[in-house]
Amino acid sequence: MNRLGDMISLVTDSSCDLPSRIVERFQIVVVPLLVHIGGESYADDELSRERYWQERAEGEAGPQTSQPSVGAFEEVFERMVSRGKQVLCVMLTGKHTGTVEVARLAARRFGDAVCVFDSYSLSLGLGFQLLEAGRARNLGHSMEELLALLEDVRSRVHALVVLDTLESVRRGGRAGAFIAALGRMSRVLKVKPVVNFVEGRVQLLGVARSLRRGIERIVANAEDLAPVDHLAVMHAGNPAGAEVLAARLAERLRFPRDRILVGETGSVLASHAGAGAVGAFAVSKSQSGTAL
């Protein structure tokens, strides 16, 4: 990292799902979201995946989630700004959570020293934006250049997810429009919704009669995104489905399988997606030449 890169710190929330090696490499500060389950509250990174699913199975009520406090963000921003740094805070979509607004409230104390950017995405859709910002920051690009890069990358991020059940989404109340569109059909026919994100908002892409067919629907739509710079598969308690999706994407998009990140999302996103969900996250190659 050169001298200019030393002056900009990256902050995000725990929905980014970036592997710890990447978080450490780019010195990204992660502010955890919160999950409330089994009568207790936990930071998103506090529960192991195994314990989360155990607590969820044993609990009578479904898990609830919440954003960090204004104070949690202020503490992080204060630590960075007091060291003479600028802060670039890249957050999960503000269309379905208040987290980005909480970060903006916290940022007001610090004027131009802190900039909050809405990724319009989540999981690796957010994570890949941070990855590109981290690379550019380490090369010495300015805050203005990083923001321009993020806007470009954000426009090329795609998230395609198949849900095994609607119960968690319905209970969380975060995607009422497409649940209403499914209506009685989803309850009677047990279809699997396939969703994507359009400018940060969850949209119903279609339905499938099985999870396997939902995965094939994702693959078919992902083919239209090729060529891609980044590709990942994330799941909520469904490693077998994730491996099937990764293999099919590698085959159909002609993308090296060993370059596809595969992992399990954290407890907060799993609480909304529900057990069994599988998703693909891609960044299409730039056609404009604006990438740094």
Side-chain angles (χ1 to χ4, degrees), residues 55-175:
E55 291 277 356
R56 182 163 176 160
E58 294 174 353
E60 295 182 6
Q64 302 294 317
T65 63
S66 61
Q67 60 252 16
S69 67
V70 173
F73 283 106
E74 286 182 333
E75 181 180 346
V76 170
F77 297 160
E78 175 70 36
R79 187 167 70 246
M80 303 302 173
V81 173
S82 67
R83 298 173 185 170
K85 293 177 178 287
Q86 289 181 287
V87 178
L88 177 53
C89 181
V90 188
M91 307 301 295
L92 83 164
T93 175
K95 299 297 178 66
H96 292 283
T97 172
T99 307
V100 68
E101 290 305 319
V102 171
R104 285 173 175 154
L105 282 173
R108 289 179 182 177
R109 273 188 52 196
F110 305 96
D112 294 338
V114 179
C115 182
V116 178
F117 184 86
D118 188 336
S119 71
Y120 289 175
S121 195
L122 75 176
S123 189
L124 268 300
L126 161 60
F128 285 142
Q129 293 179 55
L130 283 160
L131 176 61
E132 290 295 337
R135 287 173 173 171
R137 187 272 313 271
N138 286 5
L139 290 172
H141 290 282
S142 67
M143 178 68 80
E144 292 73 19
E145 290 171 322
L146 294 184
L147 288 170
L149 172 66
L150 281 171
E151 288 182 0
D152 173 63
V153 177
R154 180 174 67 183
S155 71
R156 297 184 282 117
V157 166
H158 305 274
L160 302 160
V161 182
V162 57
L163 305 172
D164 191 43
T165 173
L166 275 174
E167 290 309 310
S168 293
V169 179
R170 181 182 291 113
R171 184 171 57 243
R174 298 297 175 89

Side-chain angles (χ1 to χ4, degrees), residues 34-37 61-66 171-172 268 271-272:
L34 304 173
V35 62
H36 314 285
I37 187 170
Q64 302 294 317
T65 63
S66 61
R171 184 171 57 243
V268 167
S271 295
H272 291 286

Side-chain angles (χ1 to χ4, degrees), residues 5 46 58 161 217 243 251 264:
E46 190 176 356
E58 294 174 353
V161 182
R217 179 70 179 267
E243 288 299 330
E251 175 188 359
E264 183 169 6

Side-chain angles (χ1 to χ4, degrees), residues 4 17 25 29 37 49 52 87 91 95-96 132 158 162 174 183 196 219 225 228 241 252-254 289:
L4 183 57
D17 283 336
R25 176 184 173 189
V29 178
I37 187 170
R49 305 299 192 267
Y52 167 76
V87 178
M91 307 301 295
K95 299 297 178 66
H96 292 283
E132 290 295 337
H158 305 274
V162 57
R174 298 297 175 89
N196 65 348
V219 173
L225 308 178
V228 299
R252 296 280 286 275
L253 274 67
R254 301 183 183 276

